[in-house]
Amino acid sequence: MSMKQMVDAEIKRLTKILVSAQEPYGSWSYPFDIGIETDCYMIILLRTLEINDEEFIQLLVRKIMSRQEQNGAWKLFYDEEEGNLALTVEAYYSLLYSGYLEKEDPRMQKAKQFILKNGGIEEVNMFTKVMLALTGQYKWPRFFPIPVEVILFPTWFPLHFFDLSMQARANLTPILILSDYKYSVRTYRSPDLSDLFLGNARHKEWGDWRELQPILSQIQQSMKFLIGYPRELHRLALQRAEQYMLARVESDGTFLSYYSSTFLMIFALMARGYAKEHPLIRKAVRGLKSFVTFYGGDIHAAYTTANVWNTTLAGYALQEAGMPYTSPTIQKSHEYLLSRQHMLYGDWAVSNPNAVPGGWGFSHINTMNPDVDDTTAALRSLRTFMIEKPKYRQSWDRAIRWIVSMQNNDGGWPAFERNVNKAILSWLPIEGNEGTMLDPSSADLTGRTLEFFGNFTHLNEYHHFIKRGVRWLLKDQRNDGSWYGRWGICFIYGTWSAVTGLTAVGVRKDHHQIRRAIKWLHHIQQQDGGWGESCLSDIRKEYVPLTESTRTHTAWALDALIAAEDQETDPIKRGVQYLIDTAGKNDWTQTYPKGQGLPGAFYIHYPSYEYIFPLLALSHYREKFCDSQ
């Protein structure tokens, strides 16, 4: 069988898998899988609210137990050394709270030993401490570095609430309420975690706030400009924080369609006096339960839904593989995507007030929180349909204008909001705060945006705003030739995005920075012809190879090489052969996270990636090196 025949066969196999997975209403509902953390939080939430959904809780307990390591710990990803302390504490707590395991259970004893060996409960990250504090297992600090009054600061202040990223505001708003009230709630089922503390650590403060002096001074200075009596301002700030959350509740009851923000909102509303049985709280719980998926025989309380993202990528990949836009599969996906284009103004308009809505969000229920990546991805899938159907051209034009308007002043593109990148906020004592507190330009977002404009609007590097994007991206390249990708794992993802983006807008393939990137990809290709990268890259901020190749990483690297080469090279041949040889591969590399949310704390497995990106890379290979022969 010739290489073309093998490639055709694999493209046909992947196409069949994706077509069969499409939902009746046109989307792909592959889960957004972050591991067991949200499963743990679901048990803790239900027990705290005294919602005794026993069958559901038992399924979650079985899922959590099935992920425990031999040493008693739980991991965020396969090669995370011994285990993750915060996740192990969350799992241990949720299993005890479920009532289906006791401390004397050998598996729980192992978990406890791991926790104590690694510093005890006091060494967990801030977000875990917040969860423990609001459920009565940890003492709130006497002093919280950010007062709730910051929500009153107008946008002309040197530092204000909207200088924080959308993700930060979504989670920090309820935390500000909770820390102000020092709210906690226990039930008759609440376990006692005091034996997880070492010594007198239970009464220690959460950190040394002295290092926060620069940002605290800025906040104190701004506080002086607020007009009004302190007590009244405080009351108004708490009210404003509550209003901020409620104004951003989606139709399913969730706060911006995210698990963490909704979980925290529920407790914040109770701190504000809402009863556990209040309709807003019960609707929020139902919304979170609607995120629950069953995939591959496994239950998962997902962080959010990924329907829009999955559908944009699947629709585009299928069309690149040769499926006409008039096919029923693509027509249904187009109808779904068109129904999800945003018409509402969201927080993005604060820093971008002259633009009109027109983007797409990530999840099925998202109506007010669009992002650049989903918007360009949606337009890739819709391009032919919108060009052939003039009545939809307005939707295309509105989205294009929104993307252009989102470019940062430095020339790159962010995910959610323009110019949210004040360096002073890096002083906040939150793990991975640059990725959480800020929304800076990133190589993956900038590269993918340039790739869209170059390949689908035929703009090139001579257009002013494209030139600015190219300049920023070239400046962001690392000394070894790679780029760091913010939303994927990690350097392979960023380098793929950058190389495909730069070549799409006309940067010469023999440009020395393109050649450095290609040399780097050649250097990290593994013996089996594939590529694989560890989540440790994200923590160490340097490339760390995975012990085995993955099909998704291989597809990204291969697609970059295809974009940058005019002739088929040996690394390309070996990469293609790896994808062919591993068709149907089913091991830990398939479920290894390929996306990131928060370094060292939050990683994402996208089941759809195992089909979509190999299909895309092989389709581009066939078009460039097989069909031309």
Side-chain angles (χ1 to χ4, degrees):
M1 187 181 291
S2 69
M3 178 65 83
K4 183 177 186 305
Q5 288 173 320
M6 290 189 290
V7 168
D8 285 341
E10 179 60 0
I11 287 175
K12 184 177 180 180
R13 185 185 76 86
L14 294 169
T15 298
K16 185 177 180 180
I17 290 171
L18 285 174
V19 170
S20 66
Q22 188 179 32
E23 298 288 340
Y25 51 83
S27 80
W28 278 266
S29 60
Y30 289 106
F32 182 87
D33 184 355
I34 70 165
I36 66 160
E37 184 172 29
T38 41
D39 301 319
C40 298
Y41 277 56
M42 181 64 84
I43 292 174
I44 294 166
L45 178 65
L46 293 177
R47 287 302 191 216
T48 303
L49 297 178
E50 299 178 286
I51 300 173
N52 298 320
D53 190 342
E54 298 308 312
E55 183 178 355
F56 179 39
I57 291 173
Q58 287 174 17
L59 288 173
L60 292 174
V61 167
R62 285 200 290 271
K63 158 76 175 298
I64 295 166
M65 291 305 304
S66 72
R67 298 297 191 273
Q68 190 178 25
E69 301 291 324
Q70 287 295 318
N71 67 347
W74 280 263
K75 292 183 176 183
L76 291 170
F77 48 89
Y78 180 84
D79 55 332
E80 191 189 20
E81 300 174 350
E82 291 187 350
N84 185 274
L85 175 62
L87 187 62
T88 302
V89 169
E90 290 162 350
Y92 181 85
Y93 180 23
S94 66
L95 292 171
L96 284 181
Y97 212 167
S98 76
Y100 292 104
L101 281 98
E102 302 291 337
K103 287 186 177 182
E104 294 71 29
D105 188 295
R107 296 166 294 182
M108 300 296 280
Q109 288 291 313
K110 278 188 173 183
K112 178 181 175 179
Q113 290 167 12
F114 175 85
I115 293 167
L116 295 176
K117 177 185 174 184
N118 286 274
I121 201 171
E122 61 270 28
E123 293 299 319
V124 300
N125 60 49
M126 195 196 83
F127 288 109
T128 304
K129 285 180 181 175
V130 167
M131 181 274 290
L132 293 169
L134 60 87
T135 56
Q137 300 292 344
Y138 209 101
K139 189 176 181 180
W140 283 102
R142 288 173 296 172
F143 167 73
F144 196 76
I146 308 175
V148 70
E149 283 83 359
V150 299
I151 203 167
L152 300 177
F153 292 2
T155 55
W156 53 265
F157 271 28
L159 188 68
H160 57 82
F161 191 55
F162 288 91
D163 284 330
L164 296 167
S165 70
M166 176 280 303
Q167 311 99 289
R169 293 194 306 273
N171 291 289
L172 191 58
T173 302
I175 290 175
L176 291 178
I177 294 173
L178 291 162
S179 65
D180 188 85
Y181 282 98
K182 293 183 170 43
Y183 180 79
S184 67
V185 55
R186 292 177 66 93
T187 72
Y188 73 95
R189 288 182 180 268
S190 294
D192 178 10
L193 301 185
S194 61
D195 55 346
L196 297 184
F197 290 86
L198 292 176
N200 199 35
R202 187 170 192 172
H203 302 290
K204 287 184 179 179
E205 290 298 314
W206 288 19
D208 185 357
W209 306 123
R210 289 175 297 181
E211 62 189 47
L212 300 179
Q213 195 56 47
I215 193 169
L216 293 177
S217 297
Q218 186 76 72
I219 291 173
Q220 291 300 321
Q221 284 295 110
S222 297
M223 292 273 284
K224 295 177 182 178
F225 289 95
L226 292 178
I227 299 174
Y229 294 105
R231 183 176 295 179
E232 181 61 21
L233 288 171
H234 187 72
R235 185 196 64 79
L236 181 61
L238 288 168
Q239 184 181 61
R240 181 76 59 82
E242 179 184 336
Q243 291 171 344
Y244 180 88
M245 294 187 301
L246 295 180
R248 289 155 183 79
V249 170
E250 293 283 8
S251 61
D252 65 347
T254 61
F255 177 20
L256 287 172
S257 75
Y258 295 134
Y259 192 101
S260 61
S261 56
T262 306
F263 178 94
L264 292 167
M265 178 190 74
I266 289 169
F267 284 91
L269 291 177
M270 291 194 292
R272 292 284 291 161
Y274 290 66
K276 292 180 179 180
E277 300 79 15
H278 192 283
L280 284 174
I281 290 177
R282 290 304 167 104
K283 187 175 182 180
V285 174
R286 289 195 298 273
L288 292 180
K289 291 179 77 172
S290 73
F291 294 170
V292 173
T293 62
F294 292 86
Y295 183 79
D298 219 355
I299 190 173
H300 181 51
Y303 186 81
T304 187
T305 62
N307 296 57
V308 173
W309 181 240
N310 286 328
T311 304
T312 62
L313 297 178
Y316 168 55
L318 288 170
Q319 290 176 85
E320 291 295 279
M323 184 175 287
Y325 85 93
T326 54
S327 69
T329 297
I330 302 301
Q331 287 287 302
K332 285 194 298 181
S333 73
H334 284 170
E335 290 170 9
Y336 173 80
L337 289 177
L338 287 169
S339 73
R340 292 300 183 273
Q341 188 173 20
H342 287 199
M343 302 299 172
L344 299 176
Y345 285 90
D347 284 2
W348 57 267
V350 173
S351 59
N352 191 9
N354 297 320
V356 298
W360 274 263
F362 183 84
S363 71
H364 177 71
I365 201 66
N366 189 331
T367 64
M368 65 186 85
N369 187 33
D371 66 89
V372 171
D373 216 6
D374 274 280
T375 303
T376 60
L379 292 180
R380 282 186 192 89
S381 184
L382 290 164
R383 71 198 187 282
T384 306
F385 179 78
M386 286 184 162
I387 291 170
E388 296 290 332
K389 303 284 186 180
K391 69 177 181 177
Y392 293 110
R393 188 57 187 258
Q394 186 180 18
S395 294
W396 173 274
D397 291 342
R398 190 168 62 245
I400 293 289
R401 286 193 292 269
W402 186 80
I403 297 166
V404 173
S405 77
M406 289 294 291
Q407 188 174 26
N408 281 334
N409 290 345
D410 62 14
W413 271 269
F416 299 98
E417 295 171 343
R418 292 182 70 243
N419 300 325
V420 179
N421 194 23
K422 284 191 175 177
I424 192 171
L425 291 171
S426 65
W427 288 88
L428 286 171
I430 296 173
E431 293 78 7
N433 60 13
E434 184 178 354
T436 308
M437 296 288 109
L438 308 176
D439 189 6
S441 298
S442 67
D444 46 330
L445 267 296
T446 303
R448 285 173 58 78
T449 302
L450 292 176
E451 187 275 338
F452 165 73
F453 280 117
N455 285 335
F456 302 107
T457 70
H458 306 298
L459 295 177
N460 59 37
E461 60 178 326
Y462 297 106
H463 288 79
H464 177 65
F465 80 95
I466 298 293
K467 184 182 294 185
R468 291 177 57 228
V470 168
R471 188 182 301 122
W472 182 89
L473 194 54
L474 291 174
K475 185 178 178 182
D476 191 59
Q477 189 179 29
R478 303 228 163 184
N479 291 334
D480 63 4
S482 69
W483 278 268
Y484 171 77
R486 163 66 182 89
W487 298 98
I489 304 298
C490 190
F491 290 96
I492 293 176
Y493 184 70
T495 304
W496 163 66
S497 303
V499 169
T500 54
L502 291 169
T503 55
V505 295
V507 175
R508 298 189 327 272
K509 296 174 183 177
D510 62 354
H511 189 287
H512 69 281
Q513 289 188 248
I514 298 291
R515 300 327 301 173
R516 280 171 56 206
I518 298 309
K519 183 178 180 181
W520 180 78
L521 288 172
H522 289 171
H523 176 70
I524 65 167
Q525 189 173 22
Q526 310 213 89
Q527 289 295 318
D528 59 9
W531 284 261
E533 183 171 0
S534 172
C535 292
L536 293 169
S537 290
D538 185 44
I539 298 170
R540 299 176 186 173
K541 293 297 182 284
E542 62 181 15
Y543 172 73
V544 179
L546 202 57
T547 55
E548 292 190 31
S549 299
T550 78
R551 286 174 59 80
T552 299
H553 284 119
T554 299
W556 289 336
L558 181 60
D559 203 40
L561 296 181
I562 292 167
E565 302 287 12
D566 290 323
Q567 301 294 326
E568 185 177 2
T569 62
D570 182 65
I572 290 176
K573 290 179 181 178
R574 293 174 60 217
V576 170
Q577 192 64 55
Y578 173 85
L579 290 180
I580 292 170
D581 292 343
T582 58
K585 184 179 184 182
N586 185 20
D587 61 10
W588 64 268
T589 64
Q590 187 179 33
T591 58
Y592 192 84
K594 311 303 189 308
Q596 56 156 306
L598 180 62
F602 182 172
Y603 295 95
I604 309 153
H605 164 49
Y606 293 95
S608 63
Y609 281 18
E610 297 300 301
Y611 314 118
I612 289 169
F613 288 112
L615 176 61
L616 200 60
L618 291 174
S619 298
H620 290 163
Y621 169 80
R622 180 174 66 179
E623 180 183 11
K624 190 167 187 176
F625 297 120
C626 293
D627 292 347
S628 61
Q629 294 176 358

